[in-house]
């Protein structure tokens, strides 16, 4: 049975949510996230989410406390609006460094945040590059722990290959010789004793 997919976003990183929305070709759903005069967070879902599969994009980056509380209020609003499943998408997991006791009488706040998210009503968490893998065990709900390194390496690899193809050696390099760092004597290109090959600046068109 198919369920309708809906994307929501708080105010933590709206440009990121917009890019995800464009990539998936799923428009961001309509919701008001505002504040009362005393600083309290007010949320109103402006469309029907009953039975929908909701993904809520809200990293708990600085200011951590504000963004975390906004995330919790959004989850509660979606739960009370009868969303079928709520997945919290957390590119940054606030308080993730406090994942163990390093001295007496200190909290394990990463576990506290996990308890808060679960109590608010989230059904699944999608996190990126957690500070420690054991944070997944703090949840009693499914956690998808994603890693950015493969994507970054692939991106840099494509950039590097494109750069190399558009660079060409200078006359000194193409003639088989390059000057040594002191500039006094030429050094054979086939030598491995500190030989340098100068490259001209990349000409990108």
């Amino acid at each position: 049975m198919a369920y309708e997919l809906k994307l929501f976003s708080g105010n933590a990183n709206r440009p990121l949510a917009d890019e995800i929305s464009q990539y998936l070709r799923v428009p961001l759903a309509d919701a008001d996230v505002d504040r009362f005069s005393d600083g309290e967070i007010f949320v109103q879902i402006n469309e029907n989410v009953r039975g929908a599969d909701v993904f809520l994009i809200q990293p708990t980056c600085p200011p951590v406390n504000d963004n975390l509380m906004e995330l919790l209020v959004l989850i509660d609003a979606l739960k009370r609006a009868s969303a079928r499943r709520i997945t919290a998408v957390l590119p940054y997991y606030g308080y993730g460094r406090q994942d163990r006791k390093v001295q007496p009488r200190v909290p394990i706040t990463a576990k506290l945040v996990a308890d808060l998210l679960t109590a608010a009503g989230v059904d699944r968490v999608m996190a990126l590059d957690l500070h420690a893998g054991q944070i997944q065990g703090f949840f009693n709900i499914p956690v998808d722990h994603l890693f950015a390194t493969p994507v970054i390496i692939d991106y840099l690899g494509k950039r590097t290959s494109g750069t190399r193809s558009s660079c060409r050696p200078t006359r000194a390099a193409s003639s088989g010789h390059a000057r040594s760092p002191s500039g006094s004597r030429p050094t054979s290109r086939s030598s491995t004793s500190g030989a340098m090959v100068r490259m001209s600046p990349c000409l990108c068109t």
Side-chain angles (χ1 to χ4, degrees):
M1 182 177 181
Y3 295 93
E4 185 178 5
L5 173 67
K6 287 184 177 289
L7 291 179
F8 282 87
S9 173
N11 294 318
N13 195 335
R14 190 58 182 259
L16 174 63
D18 289 335
E19 289 190 25
I20 293 174
S21 170
Q22 293 173 11
Y23 182 83
L24 296 177
R25 297 181 180 178
V26 176
L28 285 175
D30 185 19
D32 292 330
V33 183
D34 209 341
R35 292 183 183 273
F36 291 106
S37 58
D38 62 353
E40 294 177 4
I41 296 170
F42 169 76
V43 168
Q44 182 172 6
I45 309 300
N46 294 324
E47 58 184 81
N48 183 21
V49 296
R50 182 178 296 275
D53 194 1
V54 174
F55 285 78
L56 175 55
I57 305 166
Q58 175 75 353
T60 52
C61 52
V64 178
N65 294 336
D66 290 347
N67 289 327
L68 176 59
M69 192 64 197
E70 189 174 295
L71 172 62
L72 297 173
V73 176
L74 278 162
I75 292 171
D76 186 70
L78 291 167
K79 178 184 177 182
R80 296 178 186 279
S82 300
R84 183 183 71 91
R85 185 178 70 166
I86 304 171
T87 300
V89 182
L90 307 177
Y92 181 88
Y93 187 89
Y95 290 105
R97 292 180 179 86
Q98 300 182 46
D99 57 1
R100 64 194 184 281
K101 292 188 69 172
V102 295
Q103 58 189 19
R105 298 177 296 280
V106 297
I108 303 179
T109 320
K111 166 61 173 170
L112 173 61
V113 171
D115 291 342
L116 289 171
L117 290 171
T118 305
V122 74
D123 298 292
R124 194 179 194 97
V125 170
M126 185 179 295
L128 180 66
D129 284 331
L130 291 170
H131 181 255
Q134 71 250 25
I135 293 177
Q136 300 173 75
F138 294 166
F139 290 88
N140 294 322
I141 57 175
V143 176
D144 295 313
H145 186 199
L146 309 181
F147 299 92
T149 302
V151 179
I152 295 174
I153 290 176
D154 181 64
Y155 172 76
L156 293 178
K158 292 178 181 178
R159 288 287 299 271
T160 303
S161 61
T163 301
R164 285 176 178 172
S165 64
S166 60
C167 295
R168 54 178 186 264
T170 61
R171 183 178 300 176
S174 61
S175 64
H177 293 83
R179 290 187 178 277
S180 62
S182 62
S184 57
R185 298 179 61 184
T187 306
S188 173
R189 182 174 58 180
S190 61
S191 172
T192 59
S193 57
M196 295 174 55
V197 178
R198 295 181 298 162
M199 303 297 291
S200 64
C202 296
L203 304 176
C204 301
T205 56

